Amino acid sequence: MELLLPYLEPDGFKQGLMKDYRFCDKDFLNSTVLEMPEDLGTGKLILFNKRNFHFFRGTWNFHEETIFHSPHKVGDNGMMDFRINKEGKISSNFINNEKEFEHNTTDIDGVRIFVPKSLFPKDNGLLKEKLENAQRNYMSQDKLKTIFDTPFDDASCSIILESRILEFLSYWIHYLLSDEKTFEHKKAFEDKIKLAKDFVDTNAFQALAIREISRYCGLNSSDLKKGFKDYTQLPIHQYIIKARMETARSMLLETEKSVGEISDFIGYNNRGHFSQLYLRHFGKLPSEERL
């Protein structure tokens, strides 16, 4: 089967899916959900159309092998394309100097983003190098993971999905426009923050001092605290408490260990202190979890 659609025009893309391939549409705020007819396959996509750029998130599976073609040539309408799959691989026909849009679209779980090419330098060689380097950047991959972890079972999910794609796009554009040395310095900092998080995850049930984590990851305490909170959305102390409480809850529900044993295991010798933290975190006491 061949899918022929105007790739770089969101309205034409939407109308083509509806008119030529019988997709059903449902508008919600600034998004449109397009659902595949059952005789073609299963799946849907959510399309977001902005003033001078657009993007969509989709997952679908055609019953037969399907090749996508577009009457648009790569770079038409002044647009640059990005294709992102669930594994975090990012590709671009424009950056790879391809002339035609032709992809196997039989089974897709991905994101497509279209932005003005005028935003970026004309040196595609430099952009291609940055594109390859970005595959190793965990911050980029972490932001992509939040996109793919966001459900889009119905249109109401689109608000969260849109915000997460825009967050990634902001980071992504900043990276492509940044000086490579500046970005590499930032990447080295991010790697140290990830090292700190891994260390905390491994030792969350032990008494951890900030200076100990700082020495381990090679950052001063001020940079460590700020970077850790930016990455995890929690201060280090709160992150440790959260990890301990979630482990305690799993043990209460899945083991026969007493509250006291669990309290000791996760690093609290004072059972009363543990119980108050648990109450604050889950709205009930540990002793009430098994009732």
Side-chain angles (χ1 to χ4, degrees):
M1 175 179 169
E2 181 179 69
L3 202 65
L4 182 63
L5 293 165
Y7 202 36
L8 301 177
E9 294 176 356
D11 289 335
F13 182 78
K14 170 183 171 180
Q15 294 302 321
L17 285 173
M18 294 166 55
K19 180 180 177 181
D20 299 331
Y21 302 99
R22 296 174 286 106
F23 275 59
C24 298
D25 73 310
K26 180 180 180 181
D27 292 328
F28 183 81
L29 297 179
N30 59 343
S31 66
T32 300
V33 179
L34 295 155
E35 189 156 2
M36 181 184 294
E38 293 182 356
D39 61 309
L40 290 184
T42 58
K44 67 180 71 175
L45 61 89
I46 298 185
L47 174 67
F48 302 87
N49 187 9
K50 304 298 182 179
R51 185 171 64 86
N52 58 355
F53 68 99
H54 63 281
F55 49 88
F56 66 84
R57 164 81 174 100
T59 175
W60 61 81
N61 185 280
F62 283 94
H63 291 320
E64 60 180 282
E65 184 174 13
T66 302
I67 305 299
F68 171 80
H69 296 280
S70 176
H72 286 137
K73 304 300 181 185
V74 176
D76 279 359
N77 296 356
M79 302 301 286
M80 180 187 294
D81 63 290
F82 292 105
R83 290 181 292 130
I84 307 166
N85 67 19
K86 192 171 185 178
E87 287 67 45
K89 181 180 179 181
I90 307 170
S91 57
S92 169
N93 290 73
F94 182 86
I95 291 178
N96 290 329
N97 294 314
E98 298 175 21
K99 304 300 182 185
E100 307 283 341
F101 288 113
E102 182 176 329
H103 313 129
N104 188 315
T105 193
T106 308
D107 187 3
I108 295 294
D109 188 352
V111 177
R112 304 289 182 263
I113 298 174
F114 306 87
V115 296
K117 63 184 181 183
S118 58
L119 286 175
F120 304 101
K122 296 181 179 180
D123 184 355
N124 276 13
L126 176 61
L127 288 175
K128 187 174 182 180
E129 181 180 350
K130 286 190 172 186
L131 194 68
E132 293 170 352
N133 289 344
Q135 313 298 325
R136 301 187 294 272
N137 179 261
Y138 83 87
M139 198 73 165
S140 173
Q141 296 298 311
D142 186 69
K143 292 182 185 300
L144 284 176
K145 185 176 184 301
T146 67
I147 294 173
F148 286 98
D149 285 347
T150 302
F152 58 108
D153 299 325
D154 56 58
S156 63
C157 301
S158 66
I159 299 173
I160 298 175
L161 182 61
E162 178 185 17
S163 68
R164 290 179 175 174
I165 294 177
L166 288 173
E167 181 183 16
F168 166 76
L169 186 57
S170 173
Y171 178 86
W172 180 242
I173 290 176
H174 174 74
Y175 162 61
L176 290 180
L177 292 175
S178 69
D179 175 77
E180 192 69 24
K181 290 183 179 179
T182 300
F183 186 84
E184 285 303 317
H185 176 74
K186 183 178 179 181
K187 180 178 181 298
F189 176 77
E190 291 168 350
D191 287 343
K192 290 181 179 180
I193 292 297
K194 184 174 184 297
L195 189 65
K197 178 182 176 299
D198 291 343
F199 181 74
V200 171
D201 287 340
T202 301
N203 298 280
F205 305 153
Q206 310 299 320
L208 283 177
I210 294 295
R211 63 179 178 274
E212 181 182 3
I213 305 170
S214 295
R215 284 196 300 267
Y216 183 83
C217 69
L219 289 173
N220 64 54
S221 60
S222 177
D223 287 343
L224 168 64
K225 290 176 182 178
K226 184 179 185 306
F228 195 95
K229 185 175 181 180
D230 288 344
Y231 182 58
T232 66
Q233 308 303 309
L234 286 173
I236 294 174
H237 177 64
Q238 291 298 320
Y239 182 87
I240 291 172
I241 291 175
K242 180 174 181 289
R244 290 180 173 186
M245 294 303 106
E246 289 176 350
T247 297
R249 187 169 190 269
S250 294
M251 293 179 70
L252 284 165
L253 295 175
E254 298 171 10
T255 75
E256 298 297 324
K257 290 184 180 295
S258 69
V259 172
E261 289 174 318
I262 293 172
S263 178
D264 290 339
F265 179 83
I266 65 170
Y268 294 111
N269 294 326
N270 186 323
R271 178 175 167 181
H273 179 54
F274 162 60
S275 295
Q276 288 305 308
L277 288 173
Y278 196 94
L279 175 64
R280 191 183 310 161
H281 200 80
F282 293 114
K284 62 174 72 173
L285 292 169
S287 56
E288 298 173 328
E289 191 69 75
R290 287 170 171 162
L291 297 179

